[in-house]
Amino acid sequence: MANIPSFTDLSSIKPFKTTWRIQVKIIHSWKQYTQYGGETLEMILTDSAETQIHATVKKQQISKFQRSIVPGEWKIIENFTLSKAMGRFRATKHPYRMCLMNNSTIVPYIISYLYKIFNELTDVIGQVVNIGQMKTHEVENKTKKKLEFELRNTRDARLPVTLWGSFAKRVITACQNCDDHQVTCLLRFAKVNSFKGERSVSNAFDASLLEFDPVCVEAIDFVNQLPNDGLALTIKSGVPDQTVRREVMYNRFPPCTIVELLDFNEEGKFKMMCTVYAIDRDFAWYYFTCLKYATTCFKVPKVENSVNEHNKPPLFWCSGCKENHNRIEPRYKIILHVMDSTGQTKVCLFQNEGKLLTHKTPMELLNGQLEEIQDPSKLPQAIQSLVGKTFQFTVSIGKENIRAGNDTYKVAYAFVGLEDNDLTNTQLSNEVDDLATIVSGDQTFMISNTDDSIQTEETCKTPCSKRKDEVSLDVPDESSSSKKLCIGNMKAVIEDVKNGADLEVEKSG
């Protein structure tokens, strides 16, 4: 028989998991409409300790929870997500914002979930016949892939299709692996465009769904009615795209320091040399995605009084499949606290960069256990070993950093070994002449991404006169006292972070 979990105070909930259980009072609720999120139902909740938090019910869940949300009543809410509370005007002082999801419950009301179909988007199915070259475009200071191809119907009429981002890559992969068989493409929730009387379709950002060779009845009937003319799939030469190496492409972005990064008020990408001094433990270092649609999945909580089956894998709710299943995989989302000689900030590593730095996949670090984090203080050694190392990141400044006040920057690329250029050709600002002074005011941490040890001036036995020939950096002459002071400051920051984490573990225990 499953144990009923206890309630958690609003001051103690954090984003590293979704299976929270809280007892709160609804003190205010209202509806609002934004151009980005559409209509939402907003609430202000408080607990017995008078801690308040801002909660949101998205448009798809309003019909499920609206009648349960009555100001002045106490409710028990289970299973919800948490994100950073951002924006100039915040309803509460809580650092996080709560959002109900499909598996959320509000006691005592139980209302079935209703899903609304967007009538303005269209489903399109056709046989892929002509594929153009994969192109790279700059859209709002972000690099995006673009692919144009044609679909034909049963009457051999052609429809131009334009897909962006991951949708374009999936089309290329599916067509290259078709083994000379015809490829049927189903694009759901597609956006219809019209220009000079010519119609075309494209994906509506991430709202669209893409399937190849679907097995539904309508798709099978469509394939059976296609002309039997043996039309072969044609792919223009140059696919996949003939762009330069990824690190060379990102090398064209200008370098900057952390203090310069924090002062920018325009969107863009910049290269930054920094040292990792802590791992953020408020957020989980991984999340789950659907293998078919690549959408975020959330674990389905166990039903009370249910029989525990140890060999049965957990189920996850997928917004793309609209069902509970276990066809998921964990992906990296590691938030690092980084610093240089000018300041401190936070950066977020996703799947590709996480694998590049840890040399392991999230599934390997989890040992196949698909469970949410219960103890955020326990980190895998491959992630914990990043502390003290120095990397060069290409970071993105987005609208959320400028307008919403998000202090975490996304990493577009992580350079390991600084293979893009000699360090002598890289200048970070007019005030800083070389990368060595950027790391920690001196050569506190040597640039080493293969050795877990932290090299300092005190542990380095090679005389300075001999090291000048081996290292291409011209480090200005400084007194030994100033160097030891920099080393002490850097090591003190890391030690303070570790001591704080240990103290937090003792309190929780």
Side-chain angles (χ1 to χ4, degrees):
M1 186 177 292
N3 296 328
I4 299 177
S6 59
F7 298 113
T8 305
D9 297 334
L10 291 181
S11 59
S12 301
I13 58 177
K14 294 183 179 181
F16 62 82
K17 69 175 185 178
T18 60
T19 55
W20 296 107
R21 190 169 188 258
I22 59 176
Q23 186 178 22
V24 293
K25 180 181 180 181
I26 304 174
I27 60 177
H28 184 44
S29 67
W30 72 97
K31 284 186 178 181
Q32 74 177 21
Y33 179 86
T34 60
Q35 185 177 1
Y36 176 76
E39 184 182 21
T40 58
L41 180 60
E42 309 294 327
M43 298 179 291
I44 303 297
L45 309 177
T46 184
D47 60 4
S48 57
E50 298 184 356
T51 303
Q52 298 181 0
I53 190 172
H54 186 184
T56 300
V57 181
K58 294 184 178 180
K59 178 174 63 175
Q60 291 88 345
Q61 282 84 27
I62 288 180
S63 59
K64 176 179 179 179
F65 299 113
Q66 185 173 12
R67 291 165 58 186
S68 302
I69 299 172
V70 180
E73 293 187 359
W74 286 83
K75 302 290 182 181
I76 298 176
I77 303 179
E78 297 184 69
N79 309 317
F80 49 84
T81 62
L82 293 169
S83 59
K84 281 189 177 181
M86 298 183 296
R88 297 181 180 179
F89 305 100
R90 291 166 53 179
T92 67
K93 295 182 180 180
H94 203 284
Y96 304 114
R97 184 171 178 172
M98 194 172 92
C99 183
L100 301 186
M101 55 184 184
N102 182 69
N103 296 323
S104 301
T105 59
I106 302 180
V107 176
Y109 297 102
I110 303 176
I111 304 175
S112 60
Y113 173 73
L114 300 177
Y115 176 70
K116 297 182 179 179
I117 297 179
F118 299 91
N119 295 324
E120 63 270 23
L121 300 180
T122 306
D123 295 347
V124 177
I125 188 171
Q127 178 188 357
V128 182
V129 287
N130 294 321
I131 298 181
Q133 293 185 2
M134 180 82 79
K135 299 180 180 179
T136 303
H137 290 264
E138 290 286 342
V139 180
E140 296 181 352
N141 292 325
K142 297 180 180 179
T143 303
K144 291 186 177 182
K145 300 289 186 179
K146 176 185 176 183
L147 179 67
E148 296 179 345
F149 61 97
E150 287 185 346
L151 296 177
R152 75 163 180 172
N153 60 6
T154 55
R155 298 187 299 272
D156 201 24
R158 308 300 174 92
L159 176 67
V161 182
T162 302
L163 297 183
W164 296 82
S166 60
F167 293 91
K169 297 178 182 178
R170 291 179 58 191
V171 172
I172 288 293
T173 302
C175 293
Q176 289 179 339
N177 299 330
C178 67
D179 296 330
D180 296 331
H181 296 294
Q182 65 181 20
V183 178
T184 304
C185 175
L186 173 61
L187 182 62
R188 303 194 61 193
F189 311 118
K191 182 171 60 175
V192 180
N193 307 309
S194 179
F195 180 72
K196 294 183 179 180
E198 296 291 335
R199 286 192 175 186
S200 63
V201 296
S202 62
N203 59 295
F205 300 98
D206 294 332
S208 300
L209 300 176
L210 184 63
E211 297 183 35
F212 298 100
D213 300 326
V215 294
C216 58
V217 177
E218 295 81 359
I220 296 176
D221 292 340
F222 172 81
V223 173
N224 293 333
Q225 297 176 18
L226 284 173
N228 190 14
D229 53 5
L231 181 63
L233 174 65
T234 59
I235 303 178
K236 290 186 178 180
S237 60
V239 177
D241 136 36
Q242 296 178 343
T243 56
V244 293
R245 292 170 53 200
R246 191 182 179 194
E247 57 267 24
V248 176
M249 181 182 67
Y250 281 105
N251 185 41
R252 58 194 175 92
F253 296 112
C256 72
T257 62
I258 290 181
V259 69
E260 292 173 340
L261 182 74
L262 299 176
D263 290 339
F264 279 116
N265 55 8
E266 295 182 359
E267 297 180 52
K269 291 182 179 179
F270 301 89
K271 291 189 301 183
M272 178 179 67
M273 177 71 68
C274 55
T275 299
V276 180
Y277 71 89
I279 311 293
D280 195 298
R281 300 172 190 265
D282 288 346
F283 290 84
W285 57 269
Y286 62 92
Y287 66 103
F288 297 104
T289 60
C290 176
L291 291 174
K292 184 176 182 180
Y293 293 106
T295 53
T296 303
C297 299
F298 300 97
K299 184 182 177 182
V300 177
K302 295 181 179 180
V303 180
E304 295 182 5
N305 301 326
S306 62
V307 179
N308 293 329
E309 299 182 13
H310 298 287
N311 296 329
K312 187 176 181 180
L315 295 177
F316 293 79
W317 165 257
C318 175
S319 58
C321 301
K322 300 297 181 294
E323 64 178 1
N324 298 332
H325 61 76
N326 53 19
R327 301 180 299 275
I328 54 96
E329 67 171 353
R331 298 179 68 86
Y332 280 120
K333 188 179 180 182
I334 309 173
I335 298 180
L336 305 176
H337 293 254
V338 298
M339 65 185 300
D340 64 4
S341 63
T342 64
Q344 303 175 1
T345 188
K346 291 186 285 187
V347 297
C348 183
L349 301 176
F350 290 97
Q351 181 71 0
N352 293 336
E353 284 65 38
K355 290 171 58 178
L356 183 66
L357 300 189
T358 63
H359 306 289
K360 292 182 180 294
T361 64
M363 184 67 76
E364 293 174 343
L365 297 182
L366 293 174
N367 296 322
Q369 300 295 324
L370 302 179
E371 297 287 347
E372 289 187 335
I373 290 180
Q374 300 299 325
D375 187 359
S377 63
K378 297 180 179 179
L379 289 174
Q381 182 60 32
I383 297 178
Q384 187 64 40
S385 63
L386 298 178
V387 176
K389 293 184 179 181
T390 300
F391 302 101
Q392 182 180 1
F393 294 131
T394 298
V395 296
S396 301
I397 301 178
K399 296 179 181 178
E400 65 276 5
N401 302 114
I402 301 173
R403 302 177 183 177
N406 188 359
D407 59 348
T408 303
Y409 297 88
K410 297 179 181 179
V411 175
Y413 189 74
F415 294 88
V416 177
L418 302 178
E419 70 279 3
D420 57 323
N421 260 332
D422 291 335
L423 296 182
T424 52
N425 298 330
T426 307
Q427 292 184 350
L428 297 179
S429 65
N430 294 331
E431 294 80 8
V432 182
D433 294 328
D434 56 70
L435 291 175
T437 58
I438 267 298
V439 175
S440 59
D442 198 80
Q443 285 184 318
T444 303
F445 290 96
M446 304 300 290
I447 300 171
S448 174
N449 297 322
T450 57
D451 188 6
D452 291 341
S453 62
I454 303 174
Q455 301 180 8
T456 64
E457 287 291 337
E458 295 176 336
T459 60
C460 186
K461 303 301 182 182
T462 307
C464 296
S465 59
K466 294 184 178 180
R467 287 203 311 269
K468 287 182 180 179
D469 298 332
E470 300 175 0
V471 183
S472 60
L473 294 175
D474 296 329
V475 182
D477 246 349
E478 295 179 355
S479 64
S480 59
S481 60
S482 65
K483 290 183 179 181
K484 292 181 180 179
L485 180 61
C486 293
I487 294 172
N489 292 338
M490 176 68 79
K491 295 173 67 176
V493 172
I494 299 179
E495 289 299 328
D496 290 344
V497 172
K498 290 183 178 179
N499 294 335
D502 295 339
L503 182 60
E504 185 177 350
V505 173
E506 293 178 1
K507 290 183 177 179
S508 62

